[in-house]
Amino acid sequence: KGHLVREVDALGGQMGCCIDRTCLQTRMINTSKGPAVHSLRAQADKRNYQRLMKWTLENTGNLRLRQGECTRILTEAGRVRGILTAEGTRFDCRAVVVATGVYLKGRVIIGEYSTQSGPSGLFPANLLSADLMEMGFRLMRFKTGTPARVDRRTLDFSAMTPQPGDPGTPPFSFMTDRIDCPQIPCHLTWTNAETHRIIRDNLDRSPLYAGGISGVGARYCPAIESKVVRFADKERHQVFVEPEGGDTHEMYVQGMSTSMPIDVQEAMLRTLPGFERVEIMRPGYAIEYDCIDSTALMPDLQSRQIAGLFAAGQINGSSGYEEAAAQGILAGINAAQYLRGEPPLILGRDKAYIGVLIDDLVTKGTDEPYRMMTSRAEHRLLLRQDNADLRLTEAGRCVGLVDDARYDRMLRKREATARMIAHLRATPAPAGEPLAALLRSRGEPPAPAGMSMADLLRRPSVTLADLIALIPDAPEAAPDALKQAQIELKYEGYIAKEREAVARQRRMEDLLLPPGLDYHAIAGLRLEARQKLADRRPLSVGQASRIPGVSPADIAVLLLALRRYEGAAS
């Protein structure tokens, strides 16, 4: 999904480049809403994506690849000194990024059957959990699930609704000029009363309801048996049928995640329109795994207790590939910054969705698998996917991940956008029939004398493409710069208000809290606030205000204490 992937790309990551070359279908979703929530979505050829990413790693300079199961993280005097593998190999190092995915003591469950395993039969990592607990981390048990993979040749697509891709969608990477994607269609079908009856009749065989699963799952992406129980008033639920790859007959049944026994999975699938003769190639399953309490980390994703130990992805309680990649690139950047003795890269909530994601995890924590949604961001009109390069390329450049070609491309876009906005502000709306006819066709009133083209563009039904056709001397600009100029002008008033709100919040973020501040000694703080603040050690008053259990009254007391502390220090 687009917002996080484009931010990873702007920082110099590889995810966007890889999906642009291996996608099967792309769509722009949420187009009925404003640009803040427009989001690119791609259906990946999973095997090709994996192969291309591995090839990219193998051809990255200064990178050694070694495979083995890490069983211990070696420390000395509160600092990382290396790792030990199950085979007894020791790797000496000063920084480690732990990114265990759903493999940390992974357990796959299908009906009454369960086995220690990672997803798709891959090996779990069974021995590292004990070492993490010895180092002082509190472990939690989370759960995720997956639907069955079925044979395309046993499906009747004529009974389903095609879901085609969107030709001409922009690429994920700002370095990709265009996507040559085959646009293989997905399909939509629905559950029905018979599907729900079979599920209800077999709830006693569901690990979710029979006590076979102890891990906490995500509320926003429940298994189909949970949907039927929790939303009993719903007559049907959407099911998307998606290809696994271009060279396989496997199809992914999105919306039917389950851990039911295989015979129940087959029975309920065969009630779906187009699935009457379906054959399962791989059954759906639930997978439980260990993760840490992410509040044990600082905003650079480094452990509060052990210098040089970083964590990223599902181990921090998040869910989703994009969320894992977003944390991964920041943890990798900050591990390198730590080794170089340079300040970490910390993205504010007003700078990136990555910043919102990490701040939520390390400040608030999570008691269920965390997924990044646009509604979690206070300033999402500023954090659009279309301007991720303008927001973050400079940061990637500062840490050495952005080369000249990427940086120059961002500068050209920024300059072209500024030229186009300046030209539209300075150009009056032309008198004459072409503009009058355009406005009549859009149901807009005539343009008054002296109105600028920028003011005209703010009308809801007028686009920049309409106006450029009326401006003979319009400056040349690439499509991404034109889109940027249109959004900046159409939403100028709202964007200005967002920036004012950011400035007010920034004052709180700039009030840094002394590392050694004794919260238990601050009179007026409630007991819960003292405990939470002493445990989390927030970097700023702004971060302290987002800790659950710290009230606005506590923040007022904290501000007074900070003034007294600074006065005593001076």
Side-chain angles (χ1 to χ4, degrees), residues 35-36 353 379-384 387 487 491 494-495 498:
Y353 275 100
H379 310 294
R380 60 184 182 178
L381 186 55
L382 303 180
L383 306 183
R384 307 183 309 273
N387 69 2
I487 293 172
Y491 295 88
Y494 297 102
I495 291 173
E498 284 283 280

Side-chain angles (χ1 to χ4, degrees), residues 109 143-149 191 199 206 208-209 213 217-218 220-228 237-240 252-260 265 268-269 272 283-287:
I109 307 107
K143 176 197 78 76
T144 188
T146 190
R149 273 69 161 183
T191 63
I199 292 171
S206 166
L208 279 174
Y209 293 94
I213 292 176
Y220 48 79
C221 189
I224 185 63
E225 50 264 44
S226 294
K227 290 182 188 177
V228 170
H237 296 283
Q238 284 186 330
V239 177
F240 290 96
Y252 186 90
V253 191
Q254 180 73 263
M256 292 288 284
S257 172
T258 185
S259 57
M260 283 285 203
Q265 292 189 35
M268 66 186 188
L269 284 172
L272 307 180
Y285 57 86
I287 183 167

Side-chain angles (χ1 to χ4, degrees), residues 317-371:
S318 66
S319 175
Y321 300 117
E322 303 89 343
E323 287 83 348
Q327 294 169 70
I329 194 168
L330 258 291
I333 286 171
N334 287 327
Q337 295 291 94
Y338 167 78
L339 294 177
R340 292 190 289 216
E342 297 179 4
L345 174 61
I346 298 174
L347 301 173
R349 298 178 71 92
D350 59 314
K351 296 296 183 184
Y353 275 100
I354 297 176
V356 176
L357 163 66
I358 293 175
D359 184 66
D360 278 353
L361 288 173
V362 304
T363 303
K364 302 176 182 178
T366 182
D367 55 6
E368 65 174 343
Y370 177 102
R371 178 64 61 87

Side-chain angles (χ1 to χ4, degrees), residues 71-300:
T71 58
R72 284 190 62 199
I73 298 168
L74 306 175
T75 63
E76 181 182 313
R79 294 181 177 274
V80 165
R81 286 292 177 257
I83 66 165
L84 195 66
T85 71
E87 302 85 4
T89 305
R90 173 176 174 142
F91 293 94
D92 290 323
C93 58
R94 292 187 293 123
V96 167
V97 179
V98 184
T100 53
V102 298
Y103 296 82
L104 194 58
K105 290 190 74 173
R107 184 172 77 101
V108 164
I109 307 107
I110 306 172
E112 295 180 356
Y113 168 80
S114 71
T115 184
Q116 297 293 317
S117 176
S120 301
L122 298 172
F123 291 116
N126 286 327
L127 302 176
L128 188 59
S129 290
D131 189 55
L132 291 170
M133 284 193 291
E134 283 183 22
M135 288 189 285
F137 288 100
R138 183 176 76 89
L139 296 191
M140 302 182 292
R141 194 76 171 159
F142 279 1
K143 176 197 78 76
T144 188
T146 190
R149 273 69 161 183
V150 301
D151 191 333
R152 177 201 307 266
R153 295 165 294 188
T154 63
L155 301 179
D156 178 11
F157 292 108
S158 67
M160 308 179 203
T161 304
Q163 299 286 298
D166 296 333
T169 54
F172 279 83
S173 173
F174 292 100
M175 297 302 290
T176 304
D177 292 321
R178 64 187 181 90
I179 296 179
D180 293 318
C181 182
Q183 297 294 349
I184 296 174
C186 300
H187 289 80
L188 171 65
T189 189
W190 299 83
T191 63
N192 51 55
E194 181 63 9
T195 317
H196 300 178
R197 183 195 66 77
I198 291 173
I199 292 171
R200 283 193 296 267
D201 288 350
N202 288 278
L203 284 177
D204 60 321
R205 302 178 64 195
S206 166
L208 279 174
Y209 293 94
I213 292 176
S214 60
V216 178
R219 283 177 295 114
Y220 48 79
C221 189
I224 185 63
E225 50 264 44
S226 294
K227 290 182 188 177
V228 170
V229 171
R230 286 168 50 190
F231 308 108
D233 58 318
K234 299 290 185 184
E235 296 181 355
R236 61 179 190 168
H237 296 283
Q238 284 186 330
V239 177
F240 290 96
V241 187
E242 304 166 344
E244 282 278 300
D247 58 356
T248 176
H249 291 297
E250 282 190 331
M251 302 292 283
Y252 186 90
V253 191
Q254 180 73 263
M256 292 288 284
S257 172
T258 185
S259 57
M260 283 285 203
I262 296 175
D263 62 304
V264 179
Q265 292 189 35
E266 185 175 80
M268 66 186 188
L269 284 172
R270 288 190 171 178
T271 65
L272 307 180
F275 277 67
E276 291 80 4
R277 295 170 44 252
V278 70
E279 292 185 10
I280 295 175
M281 299 178 78
R282 286 189 282 164
Y285 57 86
I287 183 167
E288 289 185 335
Y289 57 94
D290 283 351
C291 57
I292 66 171
D293 178 355
S294 54
T295 61
L297 304 175
M298 295 186 291
D300 61 352

Side-chain angles (χ1 to χ4, degrees), residues 439-519:
L439 296 178
R440 284 196 302 271
S441 70
R442 302 294 169 81
E444 296 280 356
M451 173 179 269
S452 71
M453 294 298 259
D455 291 333
L456 197 56
L457 182 58
R458 294 190 183 93
R459 294 188 175 186
S461 61
V462 177
T463 68
L464 183 52
D466 296 331
L467 300 185
I468 287 177
L470 303 174
I471 308 174
D473 58 342
E476 291 187 7
D480 57 351
L482 294 177
K483 181 176 182 178
Q484 201 65 215
Q486 175 168 296
I487 293 172
E488 288 287 332
L489 286 173
K490 273 190 176 295
Y491 295 88
E492 188 173 36
Y494 297 102
I495 291 173
K497 289 181 180 178
E498 284 283 280
R499 288 180 175 144
E500 290 171 5
V502 166
R504 289 193 298 270
Q505 180 63 28
R506 176 53 53 191
R507 290 194 286 272
M508 298 283 280
E509 301 298 332
D510 289 340
L511 288 172
L512 301 182
L513 293 169
L517 187 60
D518 184 359
Y519 294 102

